[in-house]
Each structure stands twice: as C-alpha cells, then as structure tokens.
Amino acid sequence: MEAGNSTEVPQLLLLGLAEDPALQPVLFGLFLSMYLVTVLGNLLIILAVGSDPHLHTPMYFFLSQLSFVDICFTSTTIPKMLVNIQTQSKDISYVDCLTQVYFFMVFAGLDDFLLTVMAYDRYMAICYPLHYTAVMNPRLCGLLVLACWFPVFCVSLLHILLMLRLTFCAGTEIPHFFCELGQVLTAACSDALINDIVLYVATALLGVFPLTGVLFSYSQIVSSIVRMASTEGRCKAFSTCGSHLSVVSLFYGTDLGVYLSVAVTHYPQWSSTASVMYTVVTPMLNPFFYTLQNRDVKGAL
C-alpha cells in the first residue's frame, strides 16, 4: 500500500466486531437496543433530578452530570457503528476519525473524574456531616465539574495535535468498531513513539489519579462507618454510597478486565469485542444501579 500524508487520506476502514454478513442484522438490533436503553435511562435520570426539588442536592447534581456524559460517551461511537452496519460500509473519513478520537477521550476522561468527585461528595457527607451543607455549596459543585472538564479537554486536544503529524497508508484498516486511539496509533505508517509515550502518561493522569482519589475517599468512609456506634447509622451510611460504589466497581472492573485480557491474548479483534463492556454496557447499566438502589430517584421517576 502506498503511504500518503494523513491530510490526504480520504477514508479509513473500521473493521467492526465481526466480518460474517449473517451477524450484521443481529449486531445492529443488539446495539440499537442497548443504545436506546442507555439514552432513555440516563435522560430519565436527568429529567428526574431537574424536576424534583428533593433531588436538588450535590449528590444528584453530580449524578445528572454523569448521566449527561454517559449519553455523549455512547453517542460518540455507537451511531457511526450502526450507520456502517446498515449501509454495509466500513468507511470513516480521516476528519471524522480524529473527531471521534477526541470526543471519546473527552467523555471517557470525564467519566473518570466525575466518579472521583462523586466519591469526594460521599466522603464529605459521611465523614463531615455537620460541615457538608456549608462546604458542598452550589459554587463549589460547579467549580468541581469545571475542574473535571478542563484537564480532559487539554489532554485530548494534545493527542489530536500529535496525531496530525502522523502519516497513514492508503486504505488503513483499524481492527475496531470505532477509532480507538491505541488502535489508530498502531495503524499509522509513521513513527508514533511520541504519541505512545503521551498516551501512557495521559492514562496515568486520567486513570490512576482519579482512581487513587476514589480509593482514598472510600478508605476514609469505611473508617468512619466502622467507628459509628449505631447499627442503623452504619446501614444508612452504606446505603447512601452503595449505588456509586457499584458504578465505580463496574467502570474500573470492566476497564481493568479489558486491558488485562488484551495484554494476555495480543489479539486486536478481541480488544474491540471486550471494549463493548465499558463503552456500551457500563453506561447502559448506570441508570439501573441508581434507580434500583435509590428510593429518592425511584420516587422522582
């Protein structure tokens, strides 16, 4: 294949999840159903939080932000996949691919940081209940959300700027159902060493640091709950963070499972199949965790 400048490549090829034509209608129906459930479930949470005055608290404010990000997260990848299946095409333009990489990284990073902020909110509510209302005021909540957006935007933009220096071969194939940054860098014809280094550093910043914040918050929460004398107080404290802990476990558990399995198998197609867990399944299940385990949200719905 002849190499060309990245800006001159008209189309890249997304290989998708399966080559078998007989599986395409099944995949289309399955992913369309999951996408609709994800959008409707998270939209219902946003509407419930916005319309019920009892849910105008920091915890539910952050929950509505997480639901909005989850809708955008799945909308970055699934609609294009559904269009490609329906039209029996694997094409994606170079500009569309860069756009998909950018927004996927933005919303994946926001998921990370919002889960950390929600853990901090539960930490303040359980460990410092008397100061909670004064500390977690609307101004601080807004600043925390802005603090989540700023580093994610900057890091994602840095990745895109670095990708502009890469060249791709004509008809470059990406063994994934969307333009995942790691797979795109692997498919590049030019040296992507700098991009790989920045990717590893960004993964540490956007992954390890937020996870550390979550673990610290919950270590303090558990320590505080253990010191409570009342059994009823312990149960109430656990119930207030049970939904969030379930979502955190699912999010980081699927992420870790995907990357460990890919590292063991070294099979690119398995990466695309396994990544369905955190790109589609996790955002779809989040509303169920918060509605099934939370009486306030169920009442509002």
Side-chain angles (χ1 to χ4, degrees):
M1 290 186 293
E2 184 181 350
N5 188 276
S6 58
T7 57
E8 297 171 357
V9 177
Q11 299 293 334
L12 305 177
L13 299 177
L14 294 173
L15 299 185
L17 291 172
E19 297 283 347
D20 189 353
L23 288 177
Q24 302 309 309
V26 177
L27 290 175
F28 182 84
L30 178 64
F31 278 87
L32 178 60
S33 301
M34 290 194 293
Y35 179 65
L36 291 176
V37 170
T38 301
V39 172
L40 292 175
N42 284 288
L43 189 59
L44 279 174
I45 287 183
I46 294 173
L47 293 175
V49 172
S51 61
D52 191 337
H54 295 96
L55 300 182
H56 292 175
T57 63
M59 181 174 76
Y60 296 113
F61 168 71
F62 294 132
L63 174 58
S64 65
Q65 296 295 312
L66 181 67
S67 294
F68 171 74
V69 169
D70 280 342
I71 292 174
C72 297
F73 186 44
T74 53
S75 298
T76 302
T77 57
I78 302 305
K80 177 59 180 175
M81 175 191 180
L82 295 175
V83 169
N84 281 5
I85 293 176
Q86 186 66 19
T87 59
Q88 298 182 355
S89 169
K90 298 179 181 180
D91 294 346
I92 183 170
S93 70
Y94 175 73
V95 174
D96 287 348
C97 188
L98 287 184
T99 304
Q100 197 174 64
V101 168
Y102 177 75
F103 284 107
F104 179 83
M105 292 199 62
V106 165
F107 294 119
L110 283 173
D111 254 343
D112 247 352
F113 279 102
L114 282 174
L115 289 174
T116 306
V117 169
M118 294 172 76
Y120 174 73
D121 173 70
R122 293 299 83 207
Y123 160 71
M124 290 299 302
I126 294 173
C127 298
Y128 302 98
L130 299 179
H131 303 285
Y132 176 71
T133 305
V135 173
M136 298 300 293
N137 55 67
R139 182 173 178 273
L140 178 62
C141 292
L143 289 175
L144 287 173
V145 171
L146 287 177
C148 293
W149 284 81
F150 181 73
V152 171
F153 270 130
C154 293
V155 172
S156 301
L157 182 60
L158 175 61
H159 279 297
I160 297 301
L161 293 176
L162 288 174
M163 284 182 67
L164 293 176
R165 55 182 283 277
L166 299 178
T167 56
F168 292 86
C169 297
T172 296
E173 295 181 345
I174 301 172
H176 219 297
F177 65 92
F178 69 95
C179 287
E180 195 267 334
L181 179 59
Q183 296 290 349
V184 175
L185 295 181
T186 302
C189 294
S190 56
D191 183 18
L193 177 61
I194 296 177
N195 299 70
D196 289 332
I197 293 173
V198 173
L199 176 59
Y200 292 137
V201 173
T203 301
L205 292 175
L206 302 183
V208 176
F209 284 174
L211 178 59
T212 303
V214 170
L215 293 176
F216 172 79
S217 296
Y218 273 103
S219 68
Q220 298 301 307
I221 288 171
V222 170
S223 176
S224 180
I225 290 176
V226 168
R227 291 197 300 268
M228 291 182 180
S230 168
T231 304
E232 182 181 354
R234 292 179 183 178
C235 294
K236 185 177 181 181
F238 271 120
S239 67
T240 60
C241 55
S243 300
H244 178 260
L245 191 56
S246 300
V247 171
V248 168
S249 301
L250 181 65
F251 182 81
Y252 285 107
T254 52
D255 275 6
L256 183 61
V258 167
Y259 286 108
L260 286 179
S261 60
V262 171
V264 171
T265 59
H266 300 287
Y267 183 48
Q269 200 66 28
W270 171 244
S271 172
S272 62
T273 304
S275 64
V276 171
M277 285 300 298
Y278 70 90
T279 56
V280 185
V281 176
T282 301
M284 180 183 69
L285 293 180
N286 284 354
F288 292 100
F289 282 121
Y290 280 103
T291 53
L292 296 178
Q293 299 184 28
N294 193 301
R295 286 180 298 178
D296 293 334
V297 175
K298 282 198 291 186
L301 290 174

